[in-house]
Amino acid sequence: MSIPTSPHLRSAALGLVLGLVSVAALAQGVYRIVGPDGRVSYSDQPPPAANAKPVVSGAPGAAGGASAQLPFELRQVASRYPVVLYTSAECAPCNSGRNLLNARGIPYAERTISTNEDAEALKRLSGQASLPFLTIGSQQIKGYSDSEWTQFLDAAGYPKQSALPSAYRRAAPTPLVAVAPAAAPAPATTAQSQPAEAPAPSVAPPVTNPAGIRF
């Protein structure tokens, strides 16, 4: 005995089939295609060339810089709770803190305090001029303590042992305040005399140990 099929049931069945086809297409991934002119396009269909690969969200190639070399779990922690170390020259506690981070394989950025401008910026940031100064996300840690730093790194989810790949290279330390070089003044000229030589721009020597910084 045949069962009559209503138009509504046929429409529902057709919609279900189309939905399943869409889901299957999405499950295949999205292909990144680079054309001969260098233009990039995306498609759910594989290109005829064999050099295109599916783009996976969160893959190491999707981010630039040193963080792209990190393992997935470590990269996730570092993105949520980035670590920044503030140091100065001839600061033994700073060296101890740096050694702890390096030994544990913590990806961190280092900011150096070497001028009066750096010292003032540090005071505005931390409320005082003591070093070292460490930030883990929004958490501020003043001074060096092996147990305290370890406790906060554990709480943030950083691994207890280094998981950095052998090819990882940490960025070089940079000053806390970047000062643009001063422009040389224009030489004064008169009709009666030859143009005077432009004086060399005066650059204040960096302060190795700004006044008021405690180690």
Side-chain angles (χ1 to χ4, degrees):
M1 180 178 62
S2 62
I3 301 176
T5 304
S6 67
H8 297 290
L9 291 177
R10 286 197 298 270
S11 299
L14 179 59
L16 178 60
V17 171
L18 292 177
L20 292 175
V21 171
S22 300
V23 171
L26 291 175
Q28 293 175 357
V30 178
Y31 291 85
R32 179 176 182 270
I33 304 173
V34 181
D37 56 355
R39 298 182 61 182
V40 178
S41 60
Y42 295 85
S43 174
D44 58 352
Q45 298 296 325
N51 57 354
K53 298 180 180 180
V55 176
V56 182
S57 176
S67 62
Q69 305 174 16
L70 301 179
F72 177 76
E73 293 183 359
L74 181 56
R75 186 169 69 249
Q76 291 291 96
V77 176
S79 64
R80 290 194 301 266
Y81 306 105
V83 176
V84 182
L85 174 63
Y86 300 81
T87 65
S88 181
E90 301 179 1
C91 170
C94 298
N95 294 332
S96 299
R98 189 185 298 108
N99 291 337
L100 184 148
L101 297 177
N102 291 338
R104 185 158 169 170
I106 304 296
Y108 67 92
E110 184 172 350
R111 301 289 180 262
T112 56
I113 312 299
S114 57
T115 66
N116 291 329
E117 290 79 7
D118 293 334
E120 291 299 324
L122 179 65
K123 289 180 182 178
R124 292 193 297 269
L125 179 64
S126 66
Q128 61 187 46
S130 62
L131 290 172
F133 176 60
L134 184 73
T135 59
I136 305 175
S138 60
Q139 179 65 47
Q140 298 184 354
I141 307 174
K142 301 171 184 178
Y144 174 70
S145 169
D146 183 284
S147 59
E148 185 179 17
W149 285 30
T150 299
Q151 179 182 4
F152 279 106
L153 291 171
D154 290 345
Y158 281 98
K160 297 181 181 296
Q161 296 181 350
S162 177
L164 294 177
S166 58
Y168 179 82
R169 295 295 179 268
R170 185 173 289 104
T174 57
L176 179 57
V177 178
V179 181
T189 59
T190 63
Q192 302 294 330
S193 61
Q194 295 180 351
E197 281 188 356
S202 59
V203 180
V207 180
T208 302
N209 183 11
I213 290 186
R214 302 191 302 275
F215 296 134

PDB file of all heavy atoms in Angstrom, residues 74-103:
ATOM      1  N   LEU A  74      50.750  26.399  25.777  1.00  0.00           N
ATOM      2  CA  LEU A  74      51.561  27.489  26.296  1.00  0.00           C
ATOM      3  C   LEU A  74      51.181  28.807  25.626  1.00  0.00           C
ATOM      4  O   LEU A  74      51.141  29.854  26.277  1.00  0.00           O
ATOM      5  CB  LEU A  74      53.043  27.187  26.068  1.00  0.00           C
ATOM      6  CG  LEU A  74      54.049  28.226  26.577  1.00  0.00           C
ATOM      7  CD1 LEU A  74      53.867  28.488  28.066  1.00  0.00           C
ATOM      8  CD2 LEU A  74      55.471  27.773  26.291  1.00  0.00           C
ATOM      9  N   ARG A  75      50.877  28.758  24.336  1.00  0.00           N
ATOM     10  CA  ARG A  75      50.461  29.961  23.628  1.00  0.00           C
ATOM     11  C   ARG A  75      49.138  30.489  24.180  1.00  0.00           C
ATOM     12  O   ARG A  75      48.937  31.706  24.294  1.00  0.00           O
ATOM     13  CB  ARG A  75      50.343  29.674  22.132  1.00  0.00           C
ATOM     14  CG  ARG A  75      50.057  30.922  21.296  1.00  0.00           C
ATOM     15  CD  ARG A  75      50.223  30.643  19.814  1.00  0.00           C
ATOM     16  NE  ARG A  75      49.197  29.769  19.288  1.00  0.00           N
ATOM     17  CZ  ARG A  75      49.412  28.531  18.876  1.00  0.00           C
ATOM     18  NH1 ARG A  75      50.631  28.015  18.947  1.00  0.00           N
ATOM     19  NH2 ARG A  75      48.430  27.796  18.386  1.00  0.00           N
ATOM     20  N   GLN A  76      48.232  29.589  24.546  1.00  0.00           N
ATOM     21  CA  GLN A  76      46.956  30.007  25.114  1.00  0.00           C
ATOM     22  C   GLN A  76      47.157  30.719  26.442  1.00  0.00           C
ATOM     23  O   GLN A  76      46.544  31.758  26.716  1.00  0.00           O
ATOM     24  CB  GLN A  76      46.048  28.786  25.296  1.00  0.00           C
ATOM     25  CG  GLN A  76      45.560  28.168  24.000  1.00  0.00           C
ATOM     26  CD  GLN A  76      44.583  29.051  23.263  1.00  0.00           C
ATOM     27  OE1 GLN A  76      44.960  29.796  22.357  1.00  0.00           O
ATOM     28  NE2 GLN A  76      43.338  29.004  23.643  1.00  0.00           N
ATOM     29  N   VAL A  77      48.019  30.163  27.301  1.00  0.00           N
ATOM     30  CA  VAL A  77      48.276  30.782  28.606  1.00  0.00           C
ATOM     31  C   VAL A  77      48.951  32.135  28.430  1.00  0.00           C
ATOM     32  O   VAL A  77      48.589  33.121  29.084  1.00  0.00           O
ATOM     33  CB  VAL A  77      49.139  29.852  29.479  1.00  0.00           C
ATOM     34  CG1 VAL A  77      49.483  30.524  30.802  1.00  0.00           C
ATOM     35  CG2 VAL A  77      48.421  28.534  29.734  1.00  0.00           C
ATOM     36  N   ALA A  78      49.938  32.189  27.525  1.00  0.00           N
ATOM     37  CA  ALA A  78      50.669  33.439  27.320  1.00  0.00           C
ATOM     38  C   ALA A  78      49.785  34.529  26.750  1.00  0.00           C
ATOM     39  O   ALA A  78      50.011  35.717  27.015  1.00  0.00           O
ATOM     40  CB  ALA A  78      51.863  33.190  26.405  1.00  0.00           C
ATOM     41  N   SER A  79      48.784  34.173  25.968  1.00  0.00           N
ATOM     42  CA  SER A  79      47.877  35.183  25.422  1.00  0.00           C
ATOM     43  C   SER A  79      46.917  35.705  26.481  1.00  0.00           C
ATOM     44  O   SER A  79      46.530  36.869  26.455  1.00  0.00           O
ATOM     45  CB  SER A  79      47.089  34.601  24.242  1.00  0.00           C
ATOM     46  OG  SER A  79      46.244  33.539  24.663  1.00  0.00           O
ATOM     47  N   ARG A  80      46.538  34.845  27.434  1.00  0.00           N
ATOM     48  CA  ARG A  80      45.632  35.288  28.505  1.00  0.00           C
ATOM     49  C   ARG A  80      46.375  36.032  29.606  1.00  0.00           C
ATOM     50  O   ARG A  80      45.877  37.024  30.141  1.00  0.00           O
ATOM     51  CB  ARG A  80      44.901  34.081  29.111  1.00  0.00           C
ATOM     52  CG  ARG A  80      43.871  33.451  28.199  1.00  0.00           C
ATOM     53  CD  ARG A  80      42.964  32.517  28.975  1.00  0.00           C
ATOM     54  NE  ARG A  80      43.692  31.452  29.632  1.00  0.00           N
ATOM     55  CZ  ARG A  80      43.881  30.241  29.107  1.00  0.00           C
ATOM     56  NH1 ARG A  80      43.399  29.972  27.899  1.00  0.00           N
ATOM     57  NH2 ARG A  80      44.539  29.317  29.758  1.00  0.00           N
ATOM     58  N   TYR A  81      47.564  35.557  29.946  1.00  0.00           N
ATOM     59  CA  TYR A  81      48.330  36.153  31.046  1.00  0.00           C
ATOM     60  C   TYR A  81      49.765  36.446  30.578  1.00  0.00           C
ATOM     61  O   TYR A  81      50.697  35.732  30.954  1.00  0.00           O
ATOM     62  CB  TYR A  81      48.341  35.225  32.262  1.00  0.00           C
ATOM     63  CG  TYR A  81      46.965  34.804  32.719  1.00  0.00           C
ATOM     64  CD1 TYR A  81      46.495  33.510  32.459  1.00  0.00           C
ATOM     65  CD2 TYR A  81      46.134  35.687  33.386  1.00  0.00           C
ATOM     66  CE1 TYR A  81      45.232  33.120  32.877  1.00  0.00           C
ATOM     67  CE2 TYR A  81      44.869  35.307  33.798  1.00  0.00           C
ATOM     68  CZ  TYR A  81      44.420  34.021  33.538  1.00  0.00           C
ATOM     69  OH  TYR A  81      43.172  33.638  33.946  1.00  0.00           O
ATOM     70  N   PRO A  82      49.949  37.468  29.744  1.00  0.00           N
ATOM     71  CA  PRO A  82      51.304  37.782  29.279  1.00  0.00           C
ATOM     72  C   PRO A  82      52.197  38.226  30.435  1.00  0.00           C
ATOM     73  O   PRO A  82      51.753  38.907  31.362  1.00  0.00           O
ATOM     74  CB  PRO A  82      51.072  38.924  28.288  1.00  0.00           C
ATOM     75  CG  PRO A  82      49.771  39.535  28.695  1.00  0.00           C
ATOM     76  CD  PRO A  82      48.938  38.407  29.229  1.00  0.00           C
ATOM     77  N   VAL A  83      53.457  37.835  30.374  1.00  0.00           N
ATOM     78  CA  VAL A  83      54.421  38.136  31.430  1.00  0.00           C
ATOM     79  C   VAL A  83      55.378  39.220  30.929  1.00  0.00           C
ATOM     80  O   VAL A  83      55.932  39.105  29.839  1.00  0.00           O
ATOM     81  CB  VAL A  83      55.219  36.869  31.829  1.00  0.00           C
ATOM     82  CG1 VAL A  83      56.285  37.211  32.863  1.00  0.00           C
ATOM     83  CG2 VAL A  83      54.269  35.806  32.370  1.00  0.00           C
ATOM     84  N   VAL A  84      55.545  40.268  31.745  1.00  0.00           N
ATOM     85  CA  VAL A  84      56.474  41.356  31.433  1.00  0.00           C
ATOM     86  C   VAL A  84      57.377  41.555  32.638  1.00  0.00           C
ATOM     87  O   VAL A  84      56.900  41.694  33.772  1.00  0.00           O
ATOM     88  CB  VAL A  84      55.746  42.672  31.095  1.00  0.00           C
ATOM     89  CG1 VAL A  84      56.756  43.766  30.724  1.00  0.00           C
ATOM     90  CG2 VAL A  84      54.754  42.456  29.959  1.00  0.00           C
ATOM     91  N   LEU A  85      58.695  41.565  32.397  1.00  0.00           N
ATOM     92  CA  LEU A  85      59.695  41.737  33.453  1.00  0.00           C
ATOM     93  C   LEU A  85      60.375  43.089  33.272  1.00  0.00           C
ATOM     94  O   LEU A  85      60.856  43.409  32.188  1.00  0.00           O
ATOM     95  CB  LEU A  85      60.729  40.615  33.389  1.00  0.00           C
ATOM     96  CG  LEU A  85      61.926  40.716  34.335  1.00  0.00           C
ATOM     97  CD1 LEU A  85      61.470  40.663  35.789  1.00  0.00           C
ATOM     98  CD2 LEU A  85      62.941  39.622  34.044  1.00  0.00           C
ATOM     99  N   TYR A  86      60.413  43.884  34.346  1.00  0.00           N
ATOM    100  CA  TYR A  86      61.060  45.197  34.337  1.00  0.00           C
ATOM    101  C   TYR A  86      62.362  45.089  35.126  1.00  0.00           C
ATOM    102  O   TYR A  86      62.355  44.683  36.295  1.00  0.00           O
ATOM    103  CB  TYR A  86      60.136  46.252  34.952  1.00  0.00           C
ATOM    104  CG  TYR A  86      58.822  46.399  34.211  1.00  0.00           C
ATOM    105  CD1 TYR A  86      57.771  45.506  34.435  1.00  0.00           C
ATOM    106  CD2 TYR A  86      58.642  47.412  33.284  1.00  0.00           C
ATOM    107  CE1 TYR A  86      56.571  45.633  33.754  1.00  0.00           C
ATOM    108  CE2 TYR A  86      57.435  47.555  32.596  1.00  0.00           C
ATOM    109  CZ  TYR A  86      56.405  46.660  32.831  1.00  0.00           C
ATOM    110  OH  TYR A  86      55.213  46.779  32.156  1.00  0.00           O
ATOM    111  N   THR A  87      63.473  45.452  34.467  1.00  0.00           N
ATOM    112  CA  THR A  87      64.785  45.245  35.069  1.00  0.00           C
ATOM    113  C   THR A  87      65.644  46.483  34.888  1.00  0.00           C
ATOM    114  O   THR A  87      65.267  47.442  34.206  1.00  0.00           O
ATOM    115  CB  THR A  87      65.497  44.048  34.419  1.00  0.00           C
ATOM    116  OG1 THR A  87      65.774  44.360  33.043  1.00  0.00           O
ATOM    117  CG2 THR A  87      64.645  42.791  34.490  1.00  0.00           C
ATOM    118  N   SER A  88      66.823  46.434  35.499  1.00  0.00           N
ATOM    119  CA  SER A  88      67.825  47.475  35.331  1.00  0.00           C
ATOM    120  C   SER A  88      69.196  46.831  35.416  1.00  0.00           C
ATOM    121  O   SER A  88      69.346  45.713  35.920  1.00  0.00           O
ATOM    122  CB  SER A  88      67.680  48.557  36.401  1.00  0.00           C
ATOM    123  OG  SER A  88      68.628  49.587  36.226  1.00  0.00           O
ATOM    124  N   ALA A  89      70.209  47.544  34.916  1.00  0.00           N
ATOM    125  CA  ALA A  89      71.570  47.038  34.981  1.00  0.00           C
ATOM    126  C   ALA A  89      72.056  47.012  36.426  1.00  0.00           C
ATOM    127  O   ALA A  89      71.593  47.785  37.265  1.00  0.00           O
ATOM    128  CB  ALA A  89      72.494  47.910  34.119  1.00  0.00           C
ATOM    129  N   GLU A  90      72.979  46.097  36.700  1.00  0.00           N
ATOM    130  CA  GLU A  90      73.574  45.949  38.033  1.00  0.00           C
ATOM    131  C   GLU A  90      72.508  45.722  39.099  1.00  0.00           C
ATOM    132  O   GLU A  90      72.571  46.270  40.202  1.00  0.00           O
ATOM    133  CB  GLU A  90      74.422  47.179  38.373  1.00  0.00           C
ATOM    134  CG  GLU A  90      75.558  47.429  37.387  1.00  0.00           C
ATOM    135  CD  GLU A  90      76.361  48.667  37.734  1.00  0.00           C
ATOM    136  OE1 GLU A  90      76.037  49.302  38.754  1.00  0.00           O
ATOM    137  OE2 GLU A  90      77.304  48.991  36.985  1.00  0.00           O
ATOM    138  N   CYS A  91      71.538  44.901  38.776  1.00  0.00           N
ATOM    139  CA  CYS A  91      70.446  44.569  39.701  1.00  0.00           C
ATOM    140  C   CYS A  91      70.462  43.059  39.898  1.00  0.00           C
ATOM    141  O   CYS A  91      69.976  42.299  39.052  1.00  0.00           O
ATOM    142  CB  CYS A  91      69.118  45.049  39.130  1.00  0.00           C
ATOM    143  SG  CYS A  91      67.648  44.462  40.001  1.00  0.00           S
ATOM    144  N   ALA A  92      71.031  42.613  41.008  1.00  0.00           N
ATOM    145  CA  ALA A  92      71.147  41.175  41.259  1.00  0.00           C
ATOM    146  C   ALA A  92      69.781  40.493  41.359  1.00  0.00           C
ATOM    147  O   ALA A  92      69.593  39.402  40.794  1.00  0.00           O
ATOM    148  CB  ALA A  92      71.976  40.939  42.523  1.00  0.00           C
ATOM    149  N   PRO A  93      68.780  41.071  42.061  1.00  0.00           N
ATOM    150  CA  PRO A  93      67.462  40.422  42.094  1.00  0.00           C
ATOM    151  C   PRO A  93      66.838  40.308  40.706  1.00  0.00           C
ATOM    152  O   PRO A  93      66.098  39.356  40.441  1.00  0.00           O
ATOM    153  CB  PRO A  93      66.643  41.324  43.012  1.00  0.00           C
ATOM    154  CG  PRO A  93      67.642  42.036  43.851  1.00  0.00           C
ATOM    155  CD  PRO A  93      68.819  42.240  42.967  1.00  0.00           C
ATOM    156  N   CYS A  94      67.139  41.286  39.833  1.00  0.00           N
ATOM    157  CA  CYS A  94      66.617  41.196  38.462  1.00  0.00           C
ATOM    158  C   CYS A  94      67.191  39.974  37.755  1.00  0.00           C
ATOM    159  O   CYS A  94      66.478  39.266  37.036  1.00  0.00           O
ATOM    160  CB  CYS A  94      66.965  42.465  37.682  1.00  0.00           C
ATOM    161  SG  CYS A  94      66.253  43.983  38.348  1.00  0.00           S
ATOM    162  N   ASN A  95      68.477  39.737  37.952  1.00  0.00           N
ATOM    163  CA  ASN A  95      69.102  38.559  37.350  1.00  0.00           C
ATOM    164  C   ASN A  95      68.484  37.270  37.883  1.00  0.00           C
ATOM    165  O   ASN A  95      68.265  36.314  37.137  1.00  0.00           O
ATOM    166  CB  ASN A  95      70.606  38.566  37.608  1.00  0.00           C
ATOM    167  CG  ASN A  95      71.311  39.709  36.894  1.00  0.00           C
ATOM    168  OD1 ASN A  95      70.845  40.176  35.857  1.00  0.00           O
ATOM    169  ND2 ASN A  95      72.419  40.162  37.453  1.00  0.00           N
ATOM    170  N   SER A  96      68.191  37.248  39.192  1.00  0.00           N
ATOM    171  CA  SER A  96      67.580  36.053  39.781  1.00  0.00           C
ATOM    172  C   SER A  96      66.199  35.808  39.180  1.00  0.00           C
ATOM    173  O   SER A  96      65.838  34.672  38.849  1.00  0.00           O
ATOM    174  CB  SER A  96      67.477  36.218  41.300  1.00  0.00           C
ATOM    175  OG  SER A  96      68.755  36.369  41.887  1.00  0.00           O
ATOM    176  N   GLY A  97      65.406  36.881  39.022  1.00  0.00           N
ATOM    177  CA  GLY A  97      64.088  36.727  38.425  1.00  0.00           C
ATOM    178  C   GLY A  97      64.156  36.282  36.979  1.00  0.00           C
ATOM    179  O   GLY A  97      63.383  35.419  36.532  1.00  0.00           O
ATOM    180  N   ARG A  98      65.096  36.845  36.236  1.00  0.00           N
ATOM    181  CA  ARG A  98      65.274  36.465  34.834  1.00  0.00           C
ATOM    182  C   ARG A  98      65.680  35.000  34.731  1.00  0.00           C
ATOM    183  O   ARG A  98      65.189  34.268  33.854  1.00  0.00           O
ATOM    184  CB  ARG A  98      66.322  37.364  34.184  1.00  0.00           C
ATOM    185  CG  ARG A  98      66.421  37.199  32.670  1.00  0.00           C
ATOM    186  CD  ARG A  98      67.563  38.022  32.087  1.00  0.00           C
ATOM    187  NE  ARG A  98      67.393  39.446  32.302  1.00  0.00           N
ATOM    188  CZ  ARG A  98      68.108  40.167  33.156  1.00  0.00           C
ATOM    189  NH1 ARG A  98      69.058  39.588  33.903  1.00  0.00           N
ATOM    190  NH2 ARG A  98      67.910  41.467  33.274  1.00  0.00           N
ATOM    191  N   ASN A  99      66.565  34.557  35.606  1.00  0.00           N
ATOM    192  CA  ASN A  99      66.997  33.162  35.576  1.00  0.00           C
ATOM    193  C   ASN A  99      65.842  32.216  35.878  1.00  0.00           C
ATOM    194  O   ASN A  99      65.739  31.132  35.280  1.00  0.00           O
ATOM    195  CB  ASN A  99      68.127  32.947  36.584  1.00  0.00           C
ATOM    196  CG  ASN A  99      69.411  33.645  36.173  1.00  0.00           C
ATOM    197  OD1 ASN A  99      69.626  33.931  34.994  1.00  0.00           O
ATOM    198  ND2 ASN A  99      70.279  33.934  37.140  1.00  0.00           N
ATOM    199  N   LEU A 100      64.959  32.605  36.802  1.00  0.00           N
ATOM    200  CA  LEU A 100      63.808  31.757  37.121  1.00  0.00           C
ATOM    201  C   LEU A 100      62.901  31.610  35.902  1.00  0.00           C
ATOM    202  O   LEU A 100      62.458  30.503  35.563  1.00  0.00           O
ATOM    203  CB  LEU A 100      63.032  32.332  38.299  1.00  0.00           C
ATOM    204  CG  LEU A 100      61.845  31.513  38.819  1.00  0.00           C
ATOM    205  CD1 LEU A 100      61.674  31.718  40.321  1.00  0.00           C
ATOM    206  CD2 LEU A 100      60.537  31.895  38.115  1.00  0.00           C
ATOM    207  N   LEU A 101      62.601  32.728  35.238  1.00  0.00           N
ATOM    208  CA  LEU A 101      61.726  32.681  34.068  1.00  0.00           C
ATOM    209  C   LEU A 101      62.354  31.876  32.943  1.00  0.00           C
ATOM    210  O   LEU A 101      61.671  31.084  32.277  1.00  0.00           O
ATOM    211  CB  LEU A 101      61.415  34.100  33.603  1.00  0.00           C
ATOM    212  CG  LEU A 101      60.649  34.997  34.573  1.00  0.00           C
ATOM    213  CD1 LEU A 101      60.480  36.403  33.999  1.00  0.00           C
ATOM    214  CD2 LEU A 101      59.289  34.411  34.918  1.00  0.00           C
ATOM    215  N   ASN A 102      63.655  32.063  32.728  1.00  0.00           N
ATOM    216  CA  ASN A 102      64.328  31.323  31.659  1.00  0.00           C
ATOM    217  C   ASN A 102      64.369  29.830  31.949  1.00  0.00           C
ATOM    218  O   ASN A 102      64.144  28.999  31.059  1.00  0.00           O
ATOM    219  CB  ASN A 102      65.747  31.854  31.474  1.00  0.00           C
ATOM    220  CG  ASN A 102      65.765  33.256  30.888  1.00  0.00           C
ATOM    221  OD1 ASN A 102      64.806  33.691  30.259  1.00  0.00           O
ATOM    222  ND2 ASN A 102      66.856  33.977  31.104  1.00  0.00           N
ATOM    223  N   ALA A 103      64.672  29.472  33.207  1.00  0.00           N
ATOM    224  CA  ALA A 103      64.768  28.058  33.559  1.00  0.00           C
ATOM    225  C   ALA A 103      63.418  27.359  33.432  1.00  0.00           C
ATOM    226  O   ALA A 103      63.350  26.182  33.060  1.00  0.00           O
ATOM    227  CB  ALA A 103      65.310  27.910  34.980  1.00  0.00           C
TER     228      ALA A 103
END
